[in-house]
Amino acid sequence: LVDIGRGMGSGPIETQLSVSRDGMNWYRYNRPTYLGPGEHGGRNVVTAYIAHGMVKRGNEIWQYYFGETQYHSAIKKDPNGRGVYRLVQRLDGFVSIDSPYDKEVEMKTKKFVFDGNNLTLNIDTDAAGYTQVGILDENGNAIEGYSADDCVYINGDFFDKKVEWLGQGTDLSHLKGKTIQLVYRMRGSKLYKHRHLHNTLL
């Protein structure tokens, strides 16, 4: 219920993120919200209506939204509190798999057919975190020379970091067409995306 005496309105508005691979089946990420109320451009924005479209600028994605300092169905109007705001985030930084700082954890992907010459990560480990990647065959066994123990520690903030294994380097062209799994050994890391790429695309 709206309390007229408070001079507010029916409440704030946030933007949540929904994703789909086919345009028919969607998954909504409820929390944390994609764009919530808060301090934007020196104003306390409480309602945010995000616009369609994204603009790629280098390793950033720009989006725009219309924001107001007044509540939805506002009782107390604030016409000077309206504005168009720009949002900036890392490339492909919508969702990440996060690992804690206080312990090392492992995560396995589903089996997939590898198609490329190398594996690159969009990842942020901060200063104290790290990630190692191991490759498993179709039976779930570590491929010799490509286990997580063989992986060179990944530490830093990267958009397209090539994964490297000791004594093997980064070339994975011999795995093209084979069914594999990836196992991630992570601590204090945010993994946004992995890609298996052809050298011609780099």
Side-chain angles (χ1 to χ4, degrees):
L1 297 178
V2 177
D3 185 346
I4 296 177
R6 292 181 179 273
M8 298 170 74
S10 61
I13 291 177
E14 65 184 18
T15 300
Q16 297 179 353
L17 176 66
S18 293
V19 297
S20 173
R21 291 184 180 273
D22 58 11
M24 298 294 292
N25 300 291
W26 293 82
Y27 178 81
R28 177 184 290 184
Y29 291 86
N30 293 317
R31 293 291 181 271
T33 186
Y34 185 63
L35 172 62
E39 186 78 13
H40 295 262
R43 294 174 172 176
N44 181 30
V45 177
V46 293
T47 58
Y49 305 84
I50 199 162
H52 292 285
M54 302 177 192
V55 180
K56 181 179 180 293
R57 286 289 182 268
N59 288 325
E60 295 179 340
I61 291 177
W62 294 2
Q63 292 176 276
Y64 294 87
Y65 78 94
F66 171 70
E68 298 179 299
T69 56
Q70 64 186 38
Y71 283 83
H72 185 254
S73 302
I75 295 171
K76 184 178 180 181
K77 307 292 184 178
D78 184 14
N80 294 323
R82 297 175 173 178
V84 175
Y85 300 83
R86 184 184 69 180
L87 304 172
V88 179
Q89 68 175 340
R90 69 185 292 127
L91 186 65
D92 294 332
F94 298 97
V95 179
S96 63
I97 295 176
D98 300 348
S99 57
Y101 275 104
D102 58 346
K103 64 179 179 179
E104 186 179 84
V105 297
E106 283 193 353
M107 183 272 297
K108 287 183 182 178
T109 67
K110 294 181 178 180
K111 294 179 181 179
F112 63 95
V113 177
F114 189 81
D115 180 23
N117 297 323
N118 51 68
L119 178 70
T120 68
L121 304 183
N122 184 346
I123 191 169
D124 184 5
T125 71
D126 285 332
Y130 59 82
T131 293
Q132 291 174 285
V133 187
I135 305 178
L136 310 179
D137 62 23
E138 60 184 346
N139 298 314
N141 300 315
I143 297 176
E144 185 175 355
Y146 296 92
S147 70
D149 290 331
D150 298 312
C151 184
V152 177
Y153 279 84
I154 298 164
N155 173 254
D157 187 2
F158 306 101
F159 295 97
D160 54 359
K161 175 67 174 176
K162 283 187 180 180
V163 182
E164 180 181 359
W165 290 266
L166 293 170
Q168 307 296 334
T170 62
D171 184 21
L172 298 176
S173 58
H174 59 286
L175 295 178
K176 186 175 181 179
K178 294 185 178 180
T179 299
I180 64 169
Q181 277 182 287
L182 299 177
V183 55
Y184 287 88
R185 180 185 295 166
M186 307 170 65
R187 178 178 177 272
S189 298
K190 296 175 74 69
L191 174 63
Y192 294 95
K193 186 177 182 180
H194 69 238
R195 296 177 290 172
H196 33 116
L197 296 178
H198 299 275
N199 287 336
T200 54
L201 297 179
L202 299 179

